[in-house]
Amino acid sequence: MTKKITINPITRLEGHGKIEIFLDDKGNVDDAYWQVVELRGFERFCLGRPVEELPRIVSNICGVCPTPHNMASVKALDDLYEVEPTPTAKLIRQLHYNAFMVEDHLLHFFILAGPDFVLGPSADPAERNILGVIAKVGLEIGGKVIEVRKRCREIIRYIASKPPHPEGGLPGGVSRGITEEDRKWMKETADFSVEFCQFALELFKQIVLDNKEYLNLVLNDAYKLNTYYMGLVDENNRVSFYEGKCRVVNPKGEEYALFDYHDYVNHIGEWVEPWTYIKLTHLRKIGWNGLNDGEATSLYRVGPLARLNAADSMYTPLAQREYEAMFDILGGKPSHHTLAFHWARLIEALQAAEHMQRIANDPLLTSKDIRNMALRLSKVGIGCVEAARGTLIHHYEADGDGKTTKVNLIVATQHNAAPICLSIKKAAMGFVKGPEVKEGLLNMVEMAFRAYDPCLSCATHALPGRMPLMLNIRDRNGSLIRTVQRP
Amino acid sequence: MAKPKVAICWLGGCGGCDEAVVDINEVILGVASAVDFVLWPVALDFKYHSVEGMKNGEIALSVINGNVRNSEQEEVAKLLREKSQLVLGFGSCACFGGTPGLANLTTKEDIFNWVYRDAPTVVNPDGNYPQISTRVAGKELTLPEFYKHVHALNDIIDVDYYLPGCPPPPHLVMYAVSAVLENKLPPKGSTLAPQRALCDSCKRNNSKPERLAIREIKRIHEVETTPDICFLAQGVICLGIATRDGCGESCLNINIPCRGCFGPVEGVADSGAKFVSALASILDVQSDEDIARVVDQIIDPVGYMYRFSLPASTLRKKQG
Ligand code: SF4
Ligand code: SF4
Ligand code: SF4
């Protein structure tokens, strides 16, 4: 009797992959693997290109997270050309960046993950989507979700051309300044974003925290993982998206490392396994220690919850209040509850919106001094930002003509790859019992990994094309035992 | 009357084309009430299984983005083709291969060696490479294998309509949607975008002299270009002369030259050849050698002229 469980494709994440779950004789979960099945080759086909063109090419690594790639690339060019962007250019870049953080975090919450909470993990799959969310929360709120995204993306378009594929950014500056007149609507967008992010947090509290069943789900051990955490912090150890130093805290929350990202090679290792195309990053000084959490682990996580765990506080006041409230309810810092990534994501959106507000009010924003032309080509340039999904590093080398000779990229989903494997295994162990698995329970396995907002097109920057994510459940002999499929 | 069924699907894309669909904003709600989405992996929980169970031609329209790089993508493309009355190739990856098509300039071995062996962060004491089949603790784990080249969608299946752009802009997405819903489509094989070149709607075009006196090709980071003057007249490469119009001068508006994401103008297969001939025709030089001298100054001509279209170009076909 051979049955098989397949979910194909795993939906509402940006990209594709595959999950294999193996059961023992009693039908309990013995092991689980999350495999990334594509490779695209950006690190190689960017070679030989004029290096200043890279910000326009690498933004195609991922159309969901294009701004961070564009920005990490531009910062790598600043470094390569030994140039500081002008204060106004830096403000414009950060306005672009924070507008992206707001809309991307909200997109994830409402369109990709929200359906699980707003409608419930075992709701009818045909309704478990953004349209279902809008039907439930009402058209007025639904309209606001669309509007805040649209308005933030107008800012991106103004500064960097197409939001899914930014084309702007030059070493030492930006290509277009902002006029006094346009500052007005950007300010309004920032105000609107702050208001909306506060509202989204209230909604989260109402729907999740006030509902015992959901709160228990968030706190469920099946969704918990004890790892290190990494994120950029500013000089006061506050959460920072655009610049700063890399801080790593251990599973107890103590500072393990604080390093300049130019030194990333000494801190981050990429382990290669034959069963996945993604390389598994880990803390290089501890050394690869397998797919394990807990004390001896060398695994760390990145992204919203990881950043809040790695920092001492938020950068802006409203977000700081929410940060304190969150750790209170979760039982202190660090929090290992994977589903709390969603909560942290909304708090970060609020910080980004408040930061936008601050920038929009800055008198320097509309200065015409948008480029520093004092370029001096060196050999190596490294740029780092916190992408929506975690730390992103672009490392370029160039020859004397400014042609690219070397590209190394470390992307957010890669840092989280090994933890995602583990999270899926734990969730599967917690929810999958025996071959008769209900669709809603499988969705709860998917939720373990949707929390990371894993972006597989980023993760597989190195690999070609995309693949659907399948979930197979197999018996101990490796035979597929059941096909549970969505309608 | 039953609503028409619509599938939106990504193959080897970046997700940007899916975002581009969401970028029509509130209009998407109207579309969602006029059609039945039967597949849209990025946003909706439907699985391929449900498509497999459909009758041939049951889906009115499949909107497919991304290129084809492996067998799984080929299968999905063929499945949707079989079940759909119309297929719209959405975005530059589907239409011409897109930027990831630049991978056709390198080999799979080269990519693997860098990624799994030579990159400075790699820790690989056992010399592992991803394998099509691996046994881990007695369990078999499999991975798909990749094609040697990136393919544009029409290399693999018949495509009825094309909507270029990386990604297509909201106004053209809406135009395509209403053309389908109101059944006002142009002849099959058409590209749902203007036929002329980007220069024709560029505000800088007036400043472009009849004859360009370019002595030196400049790179974008080396010059502070003037926003009203044609980039070519400033010595900076702009692909607008060989690129299809329709993006709304998106990059030009931020003072950045065009790199050709809309693909070649109507009736042209090879954007690079078109660019060189268009450039030659406006250069103020006498001999072929002079033209060659100017063109020779362009470092990485392939990366400029075929950035979005290498898999669909005659250049690639020459390379085999
Ligand atoms: S055309 Fe551009 S936006 Fe669309 S999938 Fe390809 S790279 Fe992404
Ligand atoms: S070459 Fe570029 S800048 Fe010049 S007119 Fe054409 S599109 Fe405009
Ligand atoms: S200007 Fe060129 S590269 Fe930019 S969006 Fe338009 S067609 Fe694409």
Side-chain angles (χ1 to χ4, degrees):
Chain A
M1 182 193 65
T2 304
K3 287 187 275 165
K4 120 182 172 184
I5 297 190
T6 311
I7 296 182
N8 188 3
I10 282 207
T11 41
R12 287 186 286 127
L13 79 152
E14 299 102 356
H16 310 273
K18 181 166 104 168
I19 295 171
E20 297 277 357
I21 296 176
F22 295 92
L23 305 182
D24 64 16
D25 281 344
K26 299 198 184 71
N28 292 323
V29 173
D30 174 35
D31 223 335
Y33 293 88
W34 174 62
Q35 298 172 268
V36 171
V37 290
E38 65 176 349
L39 176 73
R40 308 206 302 166
F42 274 84
E43 284 163 320
R44 288 322 265 178
F45 67 70
C46 283
L47 302 190
R49 312 274 89 84
V51 71
E52 73 278 7
E53 295 287 325
L54 292 192
R56 308 185 68 174
I57 298 176
V58 296
S59 50
N60 275 153
I61 289 172
C62 178
V64 180
C65 207
T67 288
H69 283 289
N70 173 259
M71 203 62 79
S73 182
V74 171
K75 286 185 65 186
L77 292 188
D78 290 344
D79 196 31
L80 181 73
Y81 281 98
E82 298 183 344
V83 63
E84 265 297 308
T86 67
T88 298
K90 198 172 150 189
L91 282 173
I92 293 173
R93 286 186 191 174
Q94 286 188 295
L95 182 64
H96 171 192
Y97 206 74
N98 283 293
F100 168 77
M101 282 301 230
V102 170
E103 63 94 0
D104 188 74
H105 272 359
L106 292 175
L107 171 91
H108 182 269
F109 182 74
F110 283 98
I111 299 194
L112 305 172
D116 295 327
F117 288 106
V118 179
L119 300 155
S122 42
D124 177 357
E127 268 152 33
R128 203 171 52 211
N129 56 52
I130 177 64
L131 304 172
V133 171
I134 290 177
K136 177 112 183 242
V137 299
L139 223 84
E140 196 196 331
I141 296 173
K144 277 194 181 166
V145 176
I146 291 173
E147 196 187 338
V148 73
R149 178 175 182 280
K150 171 166 137 186
R151 288 171 70 169
C152 286
R153 284 167 86 84
E154 272 317 309
I155 293 184
I156 300 174
R157 185 181 304 284
Y158 183 100
I159 297 169
S161 188
K162 306 157 289 181
H165 179 194
E167 301 263 9
L170 295 163
V174 293
S175 63
R176 180 190 197 179
I178 291 174
T179 63
E180 248 338 293
E181 193 169 337
D182 291 315
R183 178 212 289 275
K184 287 192 202 111
W185 63 262
M186 295 185 186
K187 247 171 92 165
E188 282 162 21
T189 297
D191 295 343
F192 182 72
S193 303
V194 171
E195 225 173 89
F196 187 81
C197 291
Q198 286 180 292
F199 162 80
L201 274 158
E202 282 313 308
L203 192 71
F204 180 82
K205 286 178 201 158
Q206 269 173 34
I207 290 172
V208 180
L209 303 186
D210 296 349
N211 181 330
K212 255 209 127 53
E213 200 188 322
Y214 284 176
L215 186 60
N216 286 341
L217 205 59
V218 173
L219 300 176
N220 192 316
D221 271 353
Y223 287 128
K224 199 174 165 192
L225 212 60
N226 294 289
T227 61
Y228 288 74
Y229 296 96
M230 184 164 91
L232 287 179
V233 292
D234 70 5
E235 61 289 352
N236 296 316
N237 286 338
R238 294 176 298 196
V239 170
S240 176
F241 302 136
Y242 173 80
E243 61 191 342
K245 283 190 168 172
C246 269
R247 193 183 199 208
V248 183
V249 299
N250 68 18
K252 289 191 202 118
E254 300 151 354
E255 183 175 293
Y256 163 78
L258 181 67
F259 64 92
D260 180 333
Y261 57 73
H262 288 89
D263 199 24
Y264 78 102
V265 173
N266 290 321
H267 292 270
I268 296 172
E270 299 181 291
W271 183 257
V272 181
E273 285 286 348
W275 46 267
T276 183
Y277 282 105
I278 199 172
K279 291 181 282 184
L280 307 170
T281 46
H282 58 283
L283 294 167
R284 197 166 193 164
K285 289 184 177 163
I286 298 178
W288 175 250
N289 210 357
L291 293 172
N292 295 299
D293 70 338
E295 239 155 67
T297 186
S298 59
L299 304 182
Y300 59 92
R301 293 194 276 178
V302 299
L305 182 65
R307 284 189 284 253
L308 270 52
N309 277 335
D312 289 342
S313 60
M314 302 302 289
Y315 178 66
T316 56
L318 296 175
Q320 175 60 21
R321 284 223 299 270
E322 299 290 340
Y323 172 95
E324 287 162 19
M326 181 186 89
F327 283 117
D328 272 354
I329 292 176
L330 294 179
K333 246 184 89 187
S335 170
H336 299 299
H337 300 293
T338 303
L339 292 186
F341 269 84
H342 296 300
W343 195 350
R345 192 168 284 123
L346 291 177
I347 297 173
E348 287 197 333
L350 179 57
Q351 164 166 324
E354 287 181 274
H355 197 176
M356 264 169 85
Q357 224 173 15
R358 206 176 282 184
I359 296 167
N361 285 310
D362 194 313
L364 267 181
L365 180 66
T366 52
S367 146
K368 291 199 164 50
D369 186 20
I370 57 169
R371 281 181 73 183
N372 179 351
M373 297 296 290
L375 308 179
R376 245 191 46 215
L377 179 64
S378 65
K379 292 199 162 64
V380 183
I382 298 177
C384 176
V385 291
E386 280 297 325
R389 293 149 190 83
T391 317
L392 170 65
I393 299 166
H394 281 216
H395 168 172
Y396 307 153
E397 296 185 13
D399 65 12
D401 293 332
K403 271 168 83 168
T404 317
T405 55
K406 192 168 174 181
V407 174
N408 194 36
L409 310 172
I410 309 261
V411 302
T413 297
Q414 234 189 310
H415 306 286
N416 280 338
I420 289 173
C421 289
L422 268 176
S423 289
I424 282 166
K425 183 170 164 182
K426 278 201 176 183
M429 286 179 158
F431 301 119
V432 176
K433 293 269 188 293
E436 293 309 311
V437 185
K438 288 209 184 67
E439 192 277 337
L441 291 178
L442 282 180
N443 187 48
M444 283 162 82
V445 177
E446 280 189 61
M447 280 169 70
F449 114 119
R450 226 175 263 141
Y452 294 93
D453 189 8
C455 183
L456 302 188
S457 24
C458 281
T460 57
H461 55 272
L463 313 166
R466 303 168 144 263
M467 291 289 298
L469 201 150
M470 317 159 65
L471 195 152
N472 296 327
I473 298 194
R474 298 175 187 270
D475 66 18
R476 58 186 288 272
N477 302 318
S479 314
L480 285 166
I481 55 169
R482 193 165 158 248
T483 307
V484 173
Q485 285 181 327
R486 300 281 172 74
Chain B
M1 211 187 81
K3 294 180 193 170
K5 294 189 169 133
V6 173
I8 302 178
C9 196
W10 54 18
L11 304 173
C14 76
C17 277
D18 292 276
E19 293 260 357
V21 175
V22 185
D23 279 339
I24 63 175
N25 298 313
E26 52 286 340
V27 176
I28 190 80
L29 298 179
V31 175
S33 61
V35 307
D36 263 334
F37 284 117
V38 292
L39 185 76
W40 190 6
V42 75
L44 308 177
D45 281 346
F46 294 108
K47 307 298 176 186
Y48 294 136
H49 169 72
S50 58
V51 175
E52 278 160 17
M54 288 178 179
K55 292 199 281 291
N56 288 359
E58 189 174 333
I59 299 175
L61 172 71
S62 277
V63 178
I64 302 181
N65 72 66
N67 51 39
V68 176
R69 181 71 195 245
N70 62 38
S71 54
E72 182 99 23
Q73 289 156 353
E74 175 166 359
E75 278 164 30
V76 172
K78 287 185 168 158
L79 173 69
L80 288 172
R81 175 67 274 182
E82 187 178 285
K83 305 292 179 186
S84 312
Q85 288 158 37
L86 293 178
V87 166
L88 171 65
F90 189 99
S92 307
C93 288
C95 294
F96 337 104
T99 48
L102 288 173
N104 287 357
L105 295 169
T106 179
T107 63
K108 185 174 147 185
E109 287 67 34
D110 179 52
I111 293 171
F112 271 49
N113 286 340
W114 172 260
V115 172
Y116 301 111
R117 190 186 70 193
D118 301 335
T121 26
V122 166
V123 179
N124 191 1
D126 305 332
N128 283 330
Y129 280 80
Q131 302 294 334
I132 294 170
S133 166
T134 318
R135 289 201 82 80
V136 188
K139 293 146 189 145
E140 192 191 22
L141 293 168
T142 59
L143 291 172
E145 206 188 355
F146 299 103
Y147 293 159
K148 262 177 48 205
H149 291 295
V150 172
H151 298 273
L153 190 58
N154 67 4
D155 262 4
I156 306 295
I157 59 168
D158 272 343
V159 176
D160 299 306
Y161 294 99
Y162 299 86
L163 182 52
C166 179
H171 68 276
L172 287 186
V173 177
M174 284 193 281
Y175 162 71
V177 166
S178 59
V180 172
L181 288 180
E182 291 160 23
N183 208 1
K184 286 190 188 139
L185 281 161
K188 277 200 181 188
S190 298
T191 297
L192 307 179
Q195 302 201 344
R196 52 173 198 243
L198 179 61
C199 287
D200 292 336
S201 48
C202 177
K203 293 178 215 57
R204 303 173 191 237
N205 205 6
N206 290 337
S207 66
K208 187 161 69 191
E210 282 289 299
R211 291 263 147 214
L212 282 174
I214 307 178
R215 299 265 156 264
E216 206 191 336
I217 300 282
K218 301 197 187 89
R219 289 161 64 178
I220 50 170
H221 64 295
E222 294 170 343
V223 274
E224 287 183 275
T225 51
T226 314
D228 312 317
I229 311 278
C230 169
F231 277 108
L232 286 177
Q234 302 183 66
V236 173
I237 296 193
C238 179
L239 273 287
I241 37 173
T243 299
R244 188 187 286 271
D245 192 15
C247 69
E249 302 100 71
S250 197
C251 301
L252 305 162
N253 289 340
I254 66 157
N255 199 22
I256 284 282
C258 177
R259 289 293 175 256
C261 81
F262 258 65
V265 287
E266 189 77 16
V268 173
D270 191 314
S271 48
K274 173 74 189 163
F275 176 75
V276 173
S277 69
L279 184 68
S281 73
I282 55 173
L283 276 181
D284 188 17
V285 287
Q286 305 308 319
S287 62
D288 286 356
E289 286 92 81
D290 282 348
I291 293 172
R293 193 184 49 76
V294 173
V295 174
D296 276 349
Q297 285 181 32
I298 304 176
I299 72 163
D300 186 31
V302 174
Y304 284 112
M305 297 176 206
Y306 300 95
R307 180 164 304 171
F308 296 89
S309 61
L310 189 62
S313 75
T314 46
L315 178 75
R316 177 205 132 208
K317 297 205 168 92
K318 264 184 240 143
Q319 293 180 333

